[in-house]
Amino acid sequence: MPRSRIISTGRYLPERIVTNEEMATLVPTSDEWIRERSGIRQRHFIHKEMGASDMAYEATKVALDRAGLQPEDIDFIVFATLSPDYNFPGSGVLLQHLLGMPQVGALDVRNQCSGFIYALSVGDQFIRSGMYKRVLVVGSEVHSTGLEYNEHGRQVTVLFGDGAGVVILEATEEEERGILSTHLHSDGKYALELCLINPGSRKIPRYYDGIWEDGTLYPHMNGREVFKHAVTKFPAAIKEALDANGLTPDQIDMLIPHQANLRITEAVAQRMKLPPEKVFSNIQRYGNTTAASIPIALDEALEQDKIHDNDLVVLAAFGSGFTWASAAIRW
Ligand code: UT7
């Protein structure tokens, strides 16, 4: 059975940088509050009208170029986002069209912060089954246009940023390398702890009187509840990835966690007894980019020469759903 390997990566961050100081002019907050609670110093926001598909397009061009591939070399797209360009159709088909690709299949994945690992797992299964040879896996988010810029929304608004990251998966017959395993979990009991409710299809009528006033057009997060679950579910997901492959934490060369909060990442590193140089963090510069955070971080870690052939790379995520997931990769 073939395995899949990540043969190329790319990222795109819109050019507008919003520092914490600028954020403090948009909502009642301060640089000190944001840095102490989350580690974030700045984030990128789109500087002109653009969707998750447009940013993914830019990141994909980089990944294709690095791999020496053309859009027609890709057999399938898996696109993870919670902020698609439109309610429907999904952003995957828009990316397919932007790239001028042949009419390949495109699947949108709606698993928020865990979305990229879910998408990676889907791509990996298609390759393992022999159905496709190369799959483009995308995480891309435009948060800035949907945040609540006032005191009510500030807890969420200060955390999120825009950006896109992609990887190209390719089939390999090499037995020792590639994606070793993925593990995916959810617990919908906590769905409303981190959610964006409207416009939702269950309301009659969908656009009811008061929809603008009741706050449901903006993301809602019970920060403390999310935090509490995150610090236990991240280590559990990482342990599951290691156990499945007969590996131990000290064998991890690079942990790339979803960039939710520097305090969460530090707590996870401490629990796993991992030194800081083995845990990648860039939330300071980008904020939480949800499904895009892991592929952006992976792309930067490679660029900074922090991942080498045969390294054990572990990806882990936790977020809205609740969903959580991990992947073990022999680079
Ligand atoms: O990607 C996965 C999704 N998200 C996460 O993983 C986030 C998990 N949760 C967290 O990271 C943290 O809970 C937060 C960073 C969101 C919040 O930190 P916290 O220490 O839990 O703060 P809090 O929500 O309990 O708020 C503390 C105080 C409150 O004031 P009072 O009631 O103590 O007077 C808030 O009103 O801070 C206030 N506050 C703010 N102040 C300045 C809340 N947001 C802000 C803000 N600026 N942006």
Side-chain angles (χ1 to χ4, degrees):
M1 203 198 323
R3 276 232 168 96
S4 57
R5 272 190 61 205
I6 294 175
I7 58 157
S8 190
T9 61
R11 69 176 187 276
Y12 173 79
L13 280 308
E15 63 196 45
R16 181 176 171 216
I17 293 174
V18 177
T19 60
N20 288 349
E21 286 77 12
E22 186 180 347
M23 181 55 73
T25 67
L26 305 174
V27 298
T29 190
S30 66
D31 172 48
E32 194 188 5
W33 192 97
I34 301 170
R35 265 190 297 115
E36 274 178 12
R37 297 295 210 288
S38 70
I40 297 165
R41 292 170 183 271
Q42 62 178 49
R43 72 287 291 142
H44 290 239
F45 279 3
I46 55 169
H47 50 286
K48 57 178 186 190
E49 266 191 27
M50 64 194 312
S53 66
D54 299 303
M55 294 200 301
Y57 172 64
E58 298 299 331
T60 304
K61 281 196 292 189
V62 174
L64 287 170
D65 196 46
R66 283 184 184 153
L69 294 173
Q70 301 299 321
E72 53 268 30
D73 297 322
I74 302 292
D75 304 324
F76 193 68
I77 300 169
V78 193
F79 197 122
T81 185
L82 68 71
S83 51
D85 300 55
Y86 310 125
N87 269 319
F88 71 85
S91 294
V93 299
L94 303 179
L95 180 60
Q96 176 272 332
H97 178 62
L98 281 172
L99 285 165
M101 293 169 85
Q103 294 162 355
V104 299
L107 172 73
D108 273 38
V109 165
R110 298 281 310 272
N111 287 75
Q112 303 72 248
C113 302
S114 311
F116 179 76
I117 301 181
Y118 268 76
L120 189 77
S121 180
V122 170
D124 182 43
Q125 308 313 314
F126 275 132
I127 286 177
R128 281 175 188 254
S129 73
M131 184 153 169
Y132 297 126
K133 188 161 170 261
R134 278 194 210 97
V135 177
L136 176 65
V137 183
V138 180
S140 183
E141 306 283 7
V142 178
H143 287 301
S144 58
T145 51
L147 298 169
E148 192 179 9
Y149 294 97
N150 58 31
E151 184 163 356
H152 179 259
R154 65 182 175 174
Q155 190 212 47
V156 173
T157 300
V158 301
L159 296 181
F160 290 90
D162 303 339
V166 307
V167 307
I168 299 173
L169 286 181
E170 186 180 83
T172 174
E173 293 298 332
E174 283 185 86
E175 279 180 21
E176 307 296 323
R177 294 177 69 187
I179 298 179
L180 305 178
S181 62
T182 53
H183 292 93
L184 313 174
H185 296 284
S186 74
D187 190 347
K189 183 166 66 191
Y190 300 102
L192 298 185
E193 301 295 351
L194 179 46
C195 59
L196 172 52
I197 292 194
N198 275 320
S201 57
R202 58 192 291 147
K203 283 278 186 198
I204 305 174
R206 191 176 296 189
Y207 304 93
Y208 56 88
D209 283 346
I211 195 169
W212 277 106
E213 289 76 38
D214 67 9
T216 55
L217 286 167
Y218 298 105
H220 158 79
M221 177 170 75
N222 179 349
R224 292 206 167 172
E225 189 70 10
V226 176
F227 196 101
K228 199 174 73 188
H229 286 264
V231 294
T232 57
K233 288 294 192 280
F234 265 105
I238 297 163
K239 191 169 179 313
E240 191 175 22
L242 294 171
D243 288 351
N245 296 286
L247 297 164
T248 48
D250 56 299
Q251 291 177 285
I252 295 177
D253 295 297
M254 184 55 73
L255 171 67
I256 306 217
H258 160 56
Q259 307 287 304
N261 182 323
L262 194 59
R263 279 162 60 211
I264 295 176
T265 299
E266 285 169 355
V268 171
Q270 206 175 17
R271 283 192 188 203
M272 302 303 297
K273 298 193 172 53
L274 291 172
E277 63 275 15
K278 290 190 172 189
V279 183
F280 196 82
S281 286
N282 61 8
I283 191 169
Q284 299 89 335
R285 284 174 290 123
Y286 301 137
N288 181 345
T289 57
T290 322
S293 90
I294 290 179
I296 291 173
L298 193 56
D299 188 61
E300 283 203 334
L302 287 161
E303 196 172 80
Q304 294 169 14
D305 201 25
K306 290 185 171 167
I307 297 175
H308 307 105
D309 280 358
N310 294 311
D311 275 0
L312 175 64
V313 178
V314 174
L315 315 179
F318 172 84
S320 161
F322 291 151
T323 58
W324 59 104
S326 60
I329 304 170
R330 181 63 70 188
W331 206 261

PDB file of all heavy atoms in Angstrom, residues 284-299:
ATOM      1  N   GLN A 284       2.727  34.571  17.723  1.00  0.00           N
ATOM      2  CA  GLN A 284       3.103  35.945  18.059  1.00  0.00           C
ATOM      3  C   GLN A 284       2.876  36.878  16.870  1.00  0.00           C
ATOM      4  O   GLN A 284       2.474  38.023  17.021  1.00  0.00           O
ATOM      5  CB  GLN A 284       4.601  36.003  18.443  1.00  0.00           C
ATOM      6  CG  GLN A 284       4.970  35.166  19.638  1.00  0.00           C
ATOM      7  CD  GLN A 284       5.353  33.723  19.284  1.00  0.00           C
ATOM      8  OE1 GLN A 284       4.940  33.180  18.277  1.00  0.00           O
ATOM      9  NE2 GLN A 284       6.132  33.111  20.156  1.00  0.00           N
ATOM     10  N   ARG A 285       3.141  36.365  15.646  1.00  0.00           N
ATOM     11  CA  ARG A 285       3.080  37.214  14.447  1.00  0.00           C
ATOM     12  C   ARG A 285       1.778  37.091  13.660  1.00  0.00           C
ATOM     13  O   ARG A 285       1.449  37.946  12.861  1.00  0.00           O
ATOM     14  CB  ARG A 285       4.266  36.877  13.527  1.00  0.00           C
ATOM     15  CG  ARG A 285       5.578  37.459  14.043  1.00  0.00           C
ATOM     16  CD  ARG A 285       6.750  37.011  13.229  1.00  0.00           C
ATOM     17  NE  ARG A 285       7.029  35.598  13.445  1.00  0.00           N
ATOM     18  CZ  ARG A 285       7.062  34.692  12.489  1.00  0.00           C
ATOM     19  NH1 ARG A 285       6.830  35.017  11.243  1.00  0.00           N
ATOM     20  NH2 ARG A 285       7.344  33.443  12.774  1.00  0.00           N
ATOM     21  N   TYR A 286       1.051  35.992  13.864  1.00  0.00           N
ATOM     22  CA  TYR A 286      -0.112  35.757  13.006  1.00  0.00           C
ATOM     23  C   TYR A 286      -1.433  35.634  13.761  1.00  0.00           C
ATOM     24  O   TYR A 286      -2.487  35.575  13.120  1.00  0.00           O
ATOM     25  CB  TYR A 286       0.095  34.468  12.201  1.00  0.00           C
ATOM     26  CG  TYR A 286       1.324  34.503  11.318  1.00  0.00           C
ATOM     27  CD1 TYR A 286       2.177  33.414  11.218  1.00  0.00           C
ATOM     28  CD2 TYR A 286       1.627  35.639  10.580  1.00  0.00           C
ATOM     29  CE1 TYR A 286       3.300  33.446  10.403  1.00  0.00           C
ATOM     30  CE2 TYR A 286       2.753  35.692   9.765  1.00  0.00           C
ATOM     31  CZ  TYR A 286       3.584  34.587   9.688  1.00  0.00           C
ATOM     32  OH  TYR A 286       4.685  34.640   8.883  1.00  0.00           O
ATOM     33  N   GLY A 287      -1.400  35.535  15.086  1.00  0.00           N
ATOM     34  CA  GLY A 287      -2.624  35.234  15.808  1.00  0.00           C
ATOM     35  C   GLY A 287      -3.079  33.823  15.465  1.00  0.00           C
ATOM     36  O   GLY A 287      -2.322  33.015  14.904  1.00  0.00           O
ATOM     37  N   ASN A 288      -4.337  33.531  15.794  1.00  0.00           N
ATOM     38  CA  ASN A 288      -4.899  32.208  15.520  1.00  0.00           C
ATOM     39  C   ASN A 288      -5.534  32.238  14.124  1.00  0.00           C
ATOM     40  O   ASN A 288      -6.513  32.951  13.909  1.00  0.00           O
ATOM     41  CB  ASN A 288      -5.940  31.897  16.605  1.00  0.00           C
ATOM     42  CG  ASN A 288      -6.592  30.532  16.436  1.00  0.00           C
ATOM     43  OD1 ASN A 288      -6.501  29.907  15.380  1.00  0.00           O
ATOM     44  ND2 ASN A 288      -7.265  30.077  17.478  1.00  0.00           N
ATOM     45  N   THR A 289      -4.955  31.484  13.208  1.00  0.00           N
ATOM     46  CA  THR A 289      -5.500  31.454  11.842  1.00  0.00           C
ATOM     47  C   THR A 289      -6.275  30.148  11.600  1.00  0.00           C
ATOM     48  O   THR A 289      -6.433  29.706  10.449  1.00  0.00           O
ATOM     49  CB  THR A 289      -4.396  31.621  10.783  1.00  0.00           C
ATOM     50  OG1 THR A 289      -3.416  30.591  10.971  1.00  0.00           O
ATOM     51  CG2 THR A 289      -3.724  32.982  10.862  1.00  0.00           C
ATOM     52  N   THR A 290      -6.735  29.517  12.664  1.00  0.00           N
ATOM     53  CA  THR A 290      -7.614  28.336  12.606  1.00  0.00           C
ATOM     54  C   THR A 290      -7.042  27.262  11.659  1.00  0.00           C
ATOM     55  O   THR A 290      -5.938  26.814  11.879  1.00  0.00           O
ATOM     56  CB  THR A 290      -9.056  28.763  12.251  1.00  0.00           C
ATOM     57  OG1 THR A 290      -9.315  29.983  12.916  1.00  0.00           O
ATOM     58  CG2 THR A 290     -10.082  27.796  12.760  1.00  0.00           C
ATOM     59  N   ALA A 291      -7.774  26.889  10.614  1.00  0.00           N
ATOM     60  CA  ALA A 291      -7.326  25.772   9.772  1.00  0.00           C
ATOM     61  C   ALA A 291      -6.006  26.065   9.053  1.00  0.00           C
ATOM     62  O   ALA A 291      -5.334  25.150   8.592  1.00  0.00           O
ATOM     63  CB  ALA A 291      -8.399  25.434   8.746  1.00  0.00           C
ATOM     64  N   ALA A 292      -5.649  27.345   8.969  1.00  0.00           N
ATOM     65  CA  ALA A 292      -4.416  27.690   8.249  1.00  0.00           C
ATOM     66  C   ALA A 292      -3.185  27.617   9.137  1.00  0.00           C
ATOM     67  O   ALA A 292      -2.051  27.619   8.635  1.00  0.00           O
ATOM     68  CB  ALA A 292      -4.550  29.091   7.656  1.00  0.00           C
ATOM     69  N   SER A 293      -3.365  27.537  10.449  1.00  0.00           N
ATOM     70  CA  SER A 293      -2.208  27.740  11.331  1.00  0.00           C
ATOM     71  C   SER A 293      -1.159  26.637  11.186  1.00  0.00           C
ATOM     72  O   SER A 293       0.036  26.916  11.172  1.00  0.00           O
ATOM     73  CB  SER A 293      -2.662  27.915  12.778  1.00  0.00           C
ATOM     74  OG  SER A 293      -2.743  26.696  13.469  1.00  0.00           O
ATOM     75  N   ILE A 294      -1.574  25.389  11.065  1.00  0.00           N
ATOM     76  CA  ILE A 294      -0.575  24.309  10.982  1.00  0.00           C
ATOM     77  C   ILE A 294       0.193  24.348   9.648  1.00  0.00           C
ATOM     78  O   ILE A 294       1.428  24.301   9.657  1.00  0.00           O
ATOM     79  CB  ILE A 294      -1.207  22.931  11.263  1.00  0.00           C
ATOM     80  CG1 ILE A 294      -1.573  22.852  12.759  1.00  0.00           C
ATOM     81  CG2 ILE A 294      -0.262  21.793  10.877  1.00  0.00           C
ATOM     82  CD1 ILE A 294      -2.224  21.549  13.189  1.00  0.00           C
ATOM     83  N   PRO A 295      -0.489  24.461   8.490  1.00  0.00           N
ATOM     84  CA  PRO A 295       0.322  24.520   7.262  1.00  0.00           C
ATOM     85  C   PRO A 295       1.198  25.771   7.169  1.00  0.00           C
ATOM     86  O   PRO A 295       2.299  25.709   6.600  1.00  0.00           O
ATOM     87  CB  PRO A 295      -0.718  24.473   6.133  1.00  0.00           C
ATOM     88  CG  PRO A 295      -2.018  24.838   6.758  1.00  0.00           C
ATOM     89  CD  PRO A 295      -1.929  24.385   8.190  1.00  0.00           C
ATOM     90  N   ILE A 296       0.753  26.892   7.747  1.00  0.00           N
ATOM     91  CA  ILE A 296       1.624  28.084   7.753  1.00  0.00           C
ATOM     92  C   ILE A 296       2.855  27.795   8.615  1.00  0.00           C
ATOM     93  O   ILE A 296       3.990  28.066   8.231  1.00  0.00           O
ATOM     94  CB  ILE A 296       0.868  29.331   8.294  1.00  0.00           C
ATOM     95  CG1 ILE A 296      -0.212  29.787   7.315  1.00  0.00           C
ATOM     96  CG2 ILE A 296       1.836  30.468   8.580  1.00  0.00           C
ATOM     97  CD1 ILE A 296      -1.121  30.897   7.849  1.00  0.00           C
ATOM     98  N   ALA A 297       2.624  27.197   9.795  1.00  0.00           N
ATOM     99  CA  ALA A 297       3.732  26.898  10.711  1.00  0.00           C
ATOM    100  C   ALA A 297       4.692  25.880  10.097  1.00  0.00           C
ATOM    101  O   ALA A 297       5.914  26.015  10.199  1.00  0.00           O
ATOM    102  CB  ALA A 297       3.180  26.383  12.036  1.00  0.00           C
ATOM    103  N   LEU A 298       4.136  24.877   9.436  1.00  0.00           N
ATOM    104  CA  LEU A 298       4.970  23.851   8.793  1.00  0.00           C
ATOM    105  C   LEU A 298       5.851  24.493   7.722  1.00  0.00           C
ATOM    106  O   LEU A 298       7.060  24.218   7.626  1.00  0.00           O
ATOM    107  CB  LEU A 298       4.031  22.817   8.164  1.00  0.00           C
ATOM    108  CG  LEU A 298       4.594  21.495   7.698  1.00  0.00           C
ATOM    109  CD1 LEU A 298       5.313  20.767   8.816  1.00  0.00           C
ATOM    110  CD2 LEU A 298       3.447  20.620   7.163  1.00  0.00           C
ATOM    111  N   ASP A 299       5.258  25.364   6.932  1.00  0.00           N
ATOM    112  CA  ASP A 299       5.995  26.044   5.870  1.00  0.00           C
ATOM    113  C   ASP A 299       7.132  26.880   6.460  1.00  0.00           C
ATOM    114  O   ASP A 299       8.254  26.875   5.953  1.00  0.00           O
ATOM    115  CB  ASP A 299       5.008  26.940   5.087  1.00  0.00           C
ATOM    116  CG  ASP A 299       5.643  27.544   3.854  1.00  0.00           C
ATOM    117  OD1 ASP A 299       6.066  26.770   2.979  1.00  0.00           O
ATOM    118  OD2 ASP A 299       5.729  28.783   3.767  1.00  0.00           O
TER     119      ASP A 299
END
